[in-house]
Amino acid sequence: RATHMIKTMHQADAEVTVTGLVDRNPDKALGRLKDAGMSTDGVTILSDPGQIVRRREEFDGIIIGTRCNLHTPMAVAVADARLPLFLEKPVSITPQQLQELADAYRGREEDVLVSFPLRLTPLVQESLAIIRSGRLGVINQIQAFNNVPYGDAYFFEWYRNFQETGGLWLQKATHDVDYINLLAGSTPVSVAAMISRQVYDNPQAEQDIGKIVDKSDYVDCPAIHQDAGSALIMYDNGLHAVYTQNFVTRNAAARRGAIVTGHAATLEFDWYTNKIRVADHLRKREDVITIDANDDGHGGGDGLLARNFIDMMKHQAKAQSSLHDGLLSATMCLAARQSANTHAFEPIAVPGRPAPHTGPRARESSDAR
C-alpha cells in the first residue's frame, strides 16, 4: 500500500522521491519500489523511526504503511519530527492505541492525512454536492452496503491474523463509516452491531470456497473473523445509518455504496457501477449520473489523496481526511466490535472529545427512555 501511494505521488509530481526507509526487511521494500518503477538511488536505510526524528531536516513528509497493529506505534514514534504524516487506516486497533495516538498529535490533527480515499472520490463528492444542494430535502436515513468480492483474502492471507488487523470492522468498515459520517453531516453518538461466522467456520462452505481461491499465501493461525457484519449508527441530529458488510459475495454480486433518503428524494450510488441515481418523491423524475472516475485506485480517491499530501509537504494545504476523522472512524469500529460481542448499544467516545448526545428527534415520544 505504501509503495502504491508513493508511486501515485510520483506520477502526480516527479519531484517526489524516497530518501529514507525504515523497514524490517529493507531489501524487500526496495525491491517493491523498483518493481513500481521508482528509483532507489540514494535511499538511506534507517534502523528505527527515531532516526527520522533526529534527521527530520532531511525529509518533507513521512508515510506509514506498516501492518495495522503498528500504525499507532510508528506514528507515535515519529510525532516529534513534526512533519506532515500520511497514515494508513485503521489508525489504531485498540482503545489504548487510540488514546496514545490522540495524545501524541493533539492540536496537530490536520497535519496527519489518514488514508480514506473513498470520501474524496468523484462519486462521493458529487453525491455530497447533491445532498448539500437541498434536492433530497430533510435526510432521515442512510443505508450503506459493502458486498466484498475478494473476501477470501481476509481468511487465507496475512489479513487472517486478528492480532495484526484488529478484525474486519477496523480493516474494512473503517473506510465506509468515514464516508457515511461525511454524508450524514452529523456526529455519531452510539452504535449497535452484530456479526455472523457462518461460512468460514463451516467445513462444506470452506471446501467450496477453497476450490476457487488461491491458498498459496495461506497463513496458519486461528480464523476468528466475521464473514458478515451489520451496524446501526445513531447521530446527534436524530438521523440514523445502517451499514452492512459481507465477505462471501463473488463476481457480479459485488456492491459498495449507499442509499440516502430524504423527504424530497432518494439518492443511491455504487462504486462498482460508478453511477448515481436520484429519484424524486414529489414529482415523476429520475436522474442517472455516470461518473468518470479516472481510476488510479479506490475509485479515483488515491490520486486525490496523493495530491493532497504533496500539497501538505509543500505547506500549501491541510489534510482533507485528518486524524480527527481517523480517530472517529477507529472509535466507531472498536465500538461496533464491542457491541457485536456484548449485544448492547455502545457509546462512540473519541479520546479527548466531549461525549455527544442524541437529540429528541431520535425518540418516539417526549417521555421515552
Side-chain angles (χ1 to χ4, degrees):
R1 175 63 180 166
T3 302
H4 167 72
M5 288 308 304
I6 291 166
K7 179 182 179 181
T8 304
M9 291 176 196
H10 181 73
Q11 289 172 337
D13 187 334
E15 292 185 358
V16 174
T17 58
V18 180
T19 56
L21 173 68
V22 180
D23 198 282
R24 287 187 287 193
N25 190 337
D27 290 338
K28 185 176 181 179
L30 291 171
R32 286 176 184 258
L33 288 168
K34 288 179 180 177
D35 291 343
M38 296 290 297
S39 172
T40 57
D41 295 340
V43 175
T44 302
I45 305 301
L46 305 173
S47 60
D48 61 78
Q51 284 194 287
I52 297 175
V53 177
R54 294 188 290 273
R55 301 173 63 166
R56 56 186 174 271
E57 299 300 327
E58 301 175 28
F59 311 113
D60 296 304
I62 302 166
I63 296 175
I64 294 178
T66 61
R67 291 190 180 180
C68 307
N69 59 314
L70 293 178
H71 290 169
T72 288
M74 294 298 102
V76 170
V78 300
D80 286 343
R82 303 186 75 85
L83 291 168
L85 173 64
F86 183 96
L87 181 60
E88 259 307 317
K89 61 79 194 168
V91 297
S92 304
I93 66 167
T94 67
Q96 180 182 353
Q97 284 190 349
L98 268 179
Q99 186 67 61
E100 292 171 354
L101 187 60
D103 291 344
Y105 287 88
R106 184 159 287 117
R108 295 192 291 125
E109 291 88 354
E110 291 186 345
D111 294 331
V112 181
L113 179 62
V114 177
S115 184
F116 284 149
L118 294 186
R119 64 158 46 209
L120 299 179
T121 59
L123 202 65
V124 164
Q125 290 299 311
E126 180 65 23
S127 297
L128 195 59
I130 294 170
I131 292 169
R132 289 175 175 172
S133 74
R135 181 174 175 184
L136 273 58
V138 178
I139 307 298
N140 76 332
Q141 187 185 51
I142 298 172
Q143 300 159 277
F145 41 85
N146 189 2
N147 293 341
V148 183
Y150 49 86
D152 50 274
Y154 298 104
F155 296 89
F156 297 116
E157 299 179 18
W158 70 268
Y159 297 101
R160 179 185 178 93
N161 190 330
F162 191 92
Q163 301 306 314
E164 289 188 340
T165 66
L168 295 186
W169 291 115
L170 287 157
Q171 187 58 224
K172 181 55 69 179
T174 187
H175 274 305
D176 299 275
V177 297
D178 176 67
Y179 84 74
I180 293 169
N181 291 341
L182 195 64
L183 296 178
S186 183
T187 302
V189 176
S190 60
V191 61
M194 62 183 65
I195 65 163
S196 297
R197 291 174 57 199
Q198 297 291 94
V199 173
Y200 287 94
D201 279 346
N202 184 310
Q204 177 58 47
E206 281 205 330
Q207 182 179 0
D208 290 342
I209 291 170
K211 296 174 183 176
I212 61 172
V213 300
D214 178 7
K215 294 179 65 174
S216 59
D217 293 325
Y218 179 81
V219 174
D220 188 12
C221 63
I224 56 176
H225 288 324
Q226 58 176 283
D227 50 49
S230 299
L232 181 66
I233 307 163
M234 176 56 68
Y235 287 86
D236 66 356
N237 65 356
L239 177 153
H240 76 270
V242 182
Y243 167 72
T244 187
Q245 58 186 18
N246 197 301
F247 297 94
V248 303
T249 49
R250 293 292 185 277
N251 303 316
R255 197 165 177 243
R256 191 177 199 177
I259 302 168
V260 184
T261 304
H263 84 276
T266 293
L267 178 148
E268 180 175 357
F269 64 86
D270 185 348
W271 274 283
Y272 283 97
T273 62
N274 267 328
K275 292 184 186 298
I276 300 170
R277 185 178 72 91
V278 182
D280 284 294
H281 299 169
L282 308 180
R283 54 182 176 161
K284 292 182 178 180
R285 173 170 172 167
E286 177 184 82
D287 293 328
V288 177
I289 304 165
T290 301
I291 300 294
D292 181 4
N294 189 25
D295 193 0
D296 44 22
H298 284 102
D302 283 349
L304 295 165
L305 274 178
R307 285 186 279 277
N308 185 197
F309 193 63
I310 292 167
D311 289 341
M312 289 172 64
M313 291 191 289
K314 293 180 177 180
H315 308 289
Q316 296 174 353
K318 292 293 185 180
Q320 290 183 288
S321 54
S322 74
L323 189 57
H324 286 301
D325 306 304
L327 292 171
L328 177 57
S329 170
T331 299
M332 294 173 72
C333 291
L334 285 167
R337 189 176 76 183
Q338 179 72 2
S339 174
N341 291 328
T342 62
H343 299 168
F345 274 92
E346 294 290 335
I348 298 170
V350 181
R353 296 192 215 172
H357 298 282
T358 304
R361 292 184 181 273
R363 298 176 180 145
E364 285 197 306
S365 67
S366 60
D367 62 349
R369 293 292 184 266

